[in-house]
Amino acid sequence: MKNRIGVIIAVVSPLIISYCLVSGGCQPAPGYITVDSRSGLMQPTFCLYRDASLQERLGIRMIVVWKVQRSTEFDSHWDRTEQVWSLDCIQPTSPVSCLTYGEVPRGYQADVKAVPLEPEQFYSVWLPGFRGVDSEDRYFIIRLGDNGIPERLESH
């Protein structure tokens, strides 16, 4: 009887573990978006990396930028109000790992043409990459200085 139970456990355990791993979403970790420090304030450059170690840049499959505002229901959530720029990679043999707001590199097409970014307005950027890697949204805002001129870009 003990041998029979041991055989059943030995056969069933790998199946249960496999099911849990697959249904639990053995997905790769989300990609990590950075804003290049050398980019212009009103035209930020976004780069996609495999993770926060910034060791491996990834090819960008598409980019979508939304104007956002705080949710009226939850302070910690954001509502997308308007899509302000969107590109798709149409030649996946030569994707880029960084995109500058409003510029359309070779091999990409604009689905939504870029509208000028507004200072003191929050935005969200999403960069899905190739090889099954998606990014989490990255939020940014262009801050005005005391003189009313754009001074710095903050990214969250």
Side-chain angles (χ1 to χ4, degrees), residues 129-147:
F130 288 97
R131 299 189 287 177
V133 176
D134 278 347
S135 71
E136 294 181 343
D137 284 2
R138 180 105 183 170
Y139 298 91
F140 68 96
I141 184 170
I142 299 164
R143 293 290 188 186
L144 292 174
D146 293 335
N147 56 5

PDB file of all heavy atoms in Angstrom, residues 129-147:
ATOM      1  N   GLY A 129       8.213  44.950 -25.618  1.00  0.00           N
ATOM      2  CA  GLY A 129       9.386  44.573 -26.399  1.00  0.00           C
ATOM      3  C   GLY A 129       9.170  43.266 -27.130  1.00  0.00           C
ATOM      4  O   GLY A 129       8.093  42.672 -27.090  1.00  0.00           O
ATOM      5  N   PHE A 130      10.194  42.823 -27.797  1.00  0.00           N
ATOM      6  CA  PHE A 130      10.167  41.534 -28.469  1.00  0.00           C
ATOM      7  C   PHE A 130      10.548  40.455 -27.461  1.00  0.00           C
ATOM      8  O   PHE A 130      10.929  40.740 -26.331  1.00  0.00           O
ATOM      9  CB  PHE A 130      11.120  41.544 -29.670  1.00  0.00           C
ATOM     10  CG  PHE A 130      10.603  42.379 -30.802  1.00  0.00           C
ATOM     11  CD1 PHE A 130      11.016  43.686 -30.971  1.00  0.00           C
ATOM     12  CD2 PHE A 130       9.677  41.864 -31.693  1.00  0.00           C
ATOM     13  CE1 PHE A 130      10.528  44.460 -32.008  1.00  0.00           C
ATOM     14  CE2 PHE A 130       9.177  42.631 -32.733  1.00  0.00           C
ATOM     15  CZ  PHE A 130       9.611  43.926 -32.888  1.00  0.00           C
ATOM     16  N   ARG A 131      10.480  39.210 -27.877  1.00  0.00           N
ATOM     17  CA  ARG A 131      10.808  38.048 -27.040  1.00  0.00           C
ATOM     18  C   ARG A 131       9.901  37.946 -25.815  1.00  0.00           C
ATOM     19  O   ARG A 131      10.334  37.548 -24.749  1.00  0.00           O
ATOM     20  CB  ARG A 131      12.278  38.050 -26.629  1.00  0.00           C
ATOM     21  CG  ARG A 131      13.209  37.984 -27.840  1.00  0.00           C
ATOM     22  CD  ARG A 131      14.607  37.767 -27.463  1.00  0.00           C
ATOM     23  NE  ARG A 131      15.149  38.989 -26.881  1.00  0.00           N
ATOM     24  CZ  ARG A 131      16.366  39.084 -26.396  1.00  0.00           C
ATOM     25  NH1 ARG A 131      17.164  38.053 -26.394  1.00  0.00           N
ATOM     26  NH2 ARG A 131      16.788  40.218 -25.889  1.00  0.00           N
ATOM     27  N   GLY A 132       8.644  38.363 -25.965  1.00  0.00           N
ATOM     28  CA  GLY A 132       7.668  38.177 -24.907  1.00  0.00           C
ATOM     29  C   GLY A 132       7.805  39.097 -23.714  1.00  0.00           C
ATOM     30  O   GLY A 132       7.230  38.844 -22.673  1.00  0.00           O
ATOM     31  N   VAL A 133       8.572  40.173 -23.834  1.00  0.00           N
ATOM     32  CA  VAL A 133       8.772  41.072 -22.703  1.00  0.00           C
ATOM     33  C   VAL A 133       7.908  42.314 -22.884  1.00  0.00           C
ATOM     34  O   VAL A 133       7.997  43.004 -23.889  1.00  0.00           O
ATOM     35  CB  VAL A 133      10.256  41.482 -22.578  1.00  0.00           C
ATOM     36  CG1 VAL A 133      10.435  42.497 -21.466  1.00  0.00           C
ATOM     37  CG2 VAL A 133      11.118  40.262 -22.330  1.00  0.00           C
ATOM     38  N   ASP A 134       7.065  42.575 -21.908  1.00  0.00           N
ATOM     39  CA  ASP A 134       6.282  43.801 -21.867  1.00  0.00           C
ATOM     40  C   ASP A 134       6.829  44.672 -20.749  1.00  0.00           C
ATOM     41  O   ASP A 134       7.508  44.190 -19.856  1.00  0.00           O
ATOM     42  CB  ASP A 134       4.801  43.510 -21.588  1.00  0.00           C
ATOM     43  CG  ASP A 134       4.048  43.104 -22.845  1.00  0.00           C
ATOM     44  OD1 ASP A 134       4.595  43.282 -23.945  1.00  0.00           O
ATOM     45  OD2 ASP A 134       2.932  42.611 -22.713  1.00  0.00           O
ATOM     46  N   SER A 135       6.517  45.938 -20.786  1.00  0.00           N
ATOM     47  CA  SER A 135       6.952  46.824 -19.715  1.00  0.00           C
ATOM     48  C   SER A 135       5.761  47.194 -18.856  1.00  0.00           C
ATOM     49  O   SER A 135       4.620  47.084 -19.284  1.00  0.00           O
ATOM     50  CB  SER A 135       7.559  48.103 -20.290  1.00  0.00           C
ATOM     51  OG  SER A 135       6.548  48.907 -20.860  1.00  0.00           O
ATOM     52  N   GLU A 136       6.046  47.617 -17.651  1.00  0.00           N
ATOM     53  CA  GLU A 136       5.010  48.236 -16.845  1.00  0.00           C
ATOM     54  C   GLU A 136       4.975  49.700 -17.260  1.00  0.00           C
ATOM     55  O   GLU A 136       5.944  50.233 -17.791  1.00  0.00           O
ATOM     56  CB  GLU A 136       5.354  48.102 -15.369  1.00  0.00           C
ATOM     57  CG  GLU A 136       5.339  46.651 -14.907  1.00  0.00           C
ATOM     58  CD  GLU A 136       5.663  46.501 -13.438  1.00  0.00           C
ATOM     59  OE1 GLU A 136       6.206  47.448 -12.828  1.00  0.00           O
ATOM     60  OE2 GLU A 136       5.387  45.420 -12.908  1.00  0.00           O
ATOM     61  N   ASP A 137       3.857  50.360 -17.020  1.00  0.00           N
ATOM     62  CA  ASP A 137       3.777  51.778 -17.364  1.00  0.00           C
ATOM     63  C   ASP A 137       4.804  52.567 -16.564  1.00  0.00           C
ATOM     64  O   ASP A 137       5.067  52.271 -15.405  1.00  0.00           O
ATOM     65  CB  ASP A 137       2.389  52.336 -17.051  1.00  0.00           C
ATOM     66  CG  ASP A 137       1.349  51.927 -18.074  1.00  0.00           C
ATOM     67  OD1 ASP A 137       1.683  51.183 -19.005  1.00  0.00           O
ATOM     68  OD2 ASP A 137       0.196  52.358 -17.932  1.00  0.00           O
ATOM     69  N   ARG A 138       5.380  53.563 -17.211  1.00  0.00           N
ATOM     70  CA  ARG A 138       6.283  54.498 -16.541  1.00  0.00           C
ATOM     71  C   ARG A 138       5.616  55.864 -16.654  1.00  0.00           C
ATOM     72  O   ARG A 138       5.139  56.243 -17.728  1.00  0.00           O
ATOM     73  CB  ARG A 138       7.632  54.503 -17.248  1.00  0.00           C
ATOM     74  CG  ARG A 138       8.633  55.415 -16.651  1.00  0.00           C
ATOM     75  CD  ARG A 138       9.623  54.603 -15.914  1.00  0.00           C
ATOM     76  NE  ARG A 138      10.592  55.422 -15.250  1.00  0.00           N
ATOM     77  CZ  ARG A 138      11.431  54.929 -14.401  1.00  0.00           C
ATOM     78  NH1 ARG A 138      11.428  53.655 -14.150  1.00  0.00           N
ATOM     79  NH2 ARG A 138      12.290  55.689 -13.803  1.00  0.00           N
ATOM     80  N   TYR A 139       5.571  56.594 -15.563  1.00  0.00           N
ATOM     81  CA  TYR A 139       4.924  57.898 -15.539  1.00  0.00           C
ATOM     82  C   TYR A 139       5.975  59.000 -15.562  1.00  0.00           C
ATOM     83  O   TYR A 139       7.046  58.848 -14.974  1.00  0.00           O
ATOM     84  CB  TYR A 139       4.033  58.036 -14.309  1.00  0.00           C
ATOM     85  CG  TYR A 139       2.922  57.018 -14.320  1.00  0.00           C
ATOM     86  CD1 TYR A 139       3.071  55.772 -13.711  1.00  0.00           C
ATOM     87  CD2 TYR A 139       1.730  57.291 -14.973  1.00  0.00           C
ATOM     88  CE1 TYR A 139       2.056  54.833 -13.754  1.00  0.00           C
ATOM     89  CE2 TYR A 139       0.706  56.359 -15.017  1.00  0.00           C
ATOM     90  CZ  TYR A 139       0.885  55.125 -14.407  1.00  0.00           C
ATOM     91  OH  TYR A 139      -0.121  54.194 -14.453  1.00  0.00           O
ATOM     92  N   PHE A 140       5.660  60.098 -16.236  1.00  0.00           N
ATOM     93  CA  PHE A 140       6.594  61.217 -16.250  1.00  0.00           C
ATOM     94  C   PHE A 140       5.824  62.532 -16.328  1.00  0.00           C
ATOM     95  O   PHE A 140       4.656  62.574 -16.703  1.00  0.00           O
ATOM     96  CB  PHE A 140       7.616  61.091 -17.386  1.00  0.00           C
ATOM     97  CG  PHE A 140       7.062  61.231 -18.775  1.00  0.00           C
ATOM     98  CD1 PHE A 140       7.105  62.447 -19.443  1.00  0.00           C
ATOM     99  CD2 PHE A 140       6.505  60.141 -19.431  1.00  0.00           C
ATOM    100  CE1 PHE A 140       6.609  62.585 -20.728  1.00  0.00           C
ATOM    101  CE2 PHE A 140       6.003  60.255 -20.729  1.00  0.00           C
ATOM    102  CZ  PHE A 140       6.059  61.479 -21.374  1.00  0.00           C
ATOM    103  N   ILE A 141       6.527  63.588 -15.935  1.00  0.00           N
ATOM    104  CA  ILE A 141       5.960  64.943 -15.963  1.00  0.00           C
ATOM    105  C   ILE A 141       7.100  65.915 -16.250  1.00  0.00           C
ATOM    106  O   ILE A 141       8.235  65.706 -15.793  1.00  0.00           O
ATOM    107  CB  ILE A 141       5.251  65.298 -14.635  1.00  0.00           C
ATOM    108  CG1 ILE A 141       4.586  66.676 -14.722  1.00  0.00           C
ATOM    109  CG2 ILE A 141       6.203  65.209 -13.464  1.00  0.00           C
ATOM    110  CD1 ILE A 141       3.660  66.983 -13.540  1.00  0.00           C
ATOM    111  N   ILE A 142       6.828  66.947 -17.016  1.00  0.00           N
ATOM    112  CA  ILE A 142       7.805  67.996 -17.297  1.00  0.00           C
ATOM    113  C   ILE A 142       7.484  69.146 -16.352  1.00  0.00           C
ATOM    114  O   ILE A 142       6.398  69.725 -16.421  1.00  0.00           O
ATOM    115  CB  ILE A 142       7.725  68.438 -18.777  1.00  0.00           C
ATOM    116  CG1 ILE A 142       8.031  67.240 -19.679  1.00  0.00           C
ATOM    117  CG2 ILE A 142       8.668  69.609 -19.038  1.00  0.00           C
ATOM    118  CD1 ILE A 142       7.633  67.411 -21.113  1.00  0.00           C
ATOM    119  N   ARG A 143       8.409  69.462 -15.479  1.00  0.00           N
ATOM    120  CA  ARG A 143       8.189  70.490 -14.455  1.00  0.00           C
ATOM    121  C   ARG A 143       8.664  71.851 -14.936  1.00  0.00           C
ATOM    122  O   ARG A 143       9.700  71.974 -15.595  1.00  0.00           O
ATOM    123  CB  ARG A 143       8.930  70.132 -13.169  1.00  0.00           C
ATOM    124  CG  ARG A 143       8.400  68.910 -12.481  1.00  0.00           C
ATOM    125  CD  ARG A 143       7.056  69.185 -11.888  1.00  0.00           C
ATOM    126  NE  ARG A 143       6.642  68.054 -11.052  1.00  0.00           N
ATOM    127  CZ  ARG A 143       5.466  67.966 -10.500  1.00  0.00           C
ATOM    128  NH1 ARG A 143       4.575  68.910 -10.661  1.00  0.00           N
ATOM    129  NH2 ARG A 143       5.161  66.918  -9.760  1.00  0.00           N
ATOM    130  N   LEU A 144       7.897  72.877 -14.574  1.00  0.00           N
ATOM    131  CA  LEU A 144       8.266  74.254 -14.869  1.00  0.00           C
ATOM    132  C   LEU A 144       9.103  74.818 -13.730  1.00  0.00           C
ATOM    133  O   LEU A 144       8.864  74.488 -12.566  1.00  0.00           O
ATOM    134  CB  LEU A 144       7.016  75.122 -15.042  1.00  0.00           C
ATOM    135  CG  LEU A 144       6.146  74.836 -16.263  1.00  0.00           C
ATOM    136  CD1 LEU A 144       4.876  75.677 -16.198  1.00  0.00           C
ATOM    137  CD2 LEU A 144       6.901  75.097 -17.546  1.00  0.00           C
ATOM    138  N   GLY A 145      10.033  75.698 -14.059  1.00  0.00           N
ATOM    139  CA  GLY A 145      10.794  76.417 -13.048  1.00  0.00           C
ATOM    140  C   GLY A 145      10.000  77.618 -12.558  1.00  0.00           C
ATOM    141  O   GLY A 145       8.890  77.895 -13.037  1.00  0.00           O
ATOM    142  N   ASP A 146      10.576  78.363 -11.629  1.00  0.00           N
ATOM    143  CA  ASP A 146       9.919  79.555 -11.081  1.00  0.00           C
ATOM    144  C   ASP A 146       9.640  80.605 -12.156  1.00  0.00           C
ATOM    145  O   ASP A 146       8.721  81.402 -12.042  1.00  0.00           O
ATOM    146  CB  ASP A 146      10.775  80.177  -9.974  1.00  0.00           C
ATOM    147  CG  ASP A 146      10.863  79.263  -8.760  1.00  0.00           C
ATOM    148  OD1 ASP A 146       9.942  78.434  -8.570  1.00  0.00           O
ATOM    149  OD2 ASP A 146      11.847  79.378  -8.005  1.00  0.00           O
ATOM    150  N   ASN A 147      10.439  80.574 -13.230  1.00  0.00           N
ATOM    151  CA  ASN A 147      10.285  81.538 -14.314  1.00  0.00           C
ATOM    152  C   ASN A 147       9.265  81.092 -15.368  1.00  0.00           C
ATOM    153  O   ASN A 147       9.068  81.771 -16.371  1.00  0.00           O
ATOM    154  CB  ASN A 147      11.639  81.808 -14.968  1.00  0.00           C
ATOM    155  CG  ASN A 147      12.290  80.526 -15.454  1.00  0.00           C
ATOM    156  OD1 ASN A 147      11.704  79.445 -15.391  1.00  0.00           O
ATOM    157  ND2 ASN A 147      13.520  80.643 -15.931  1.00  0.00           N
TER     158      ASN A 147
END
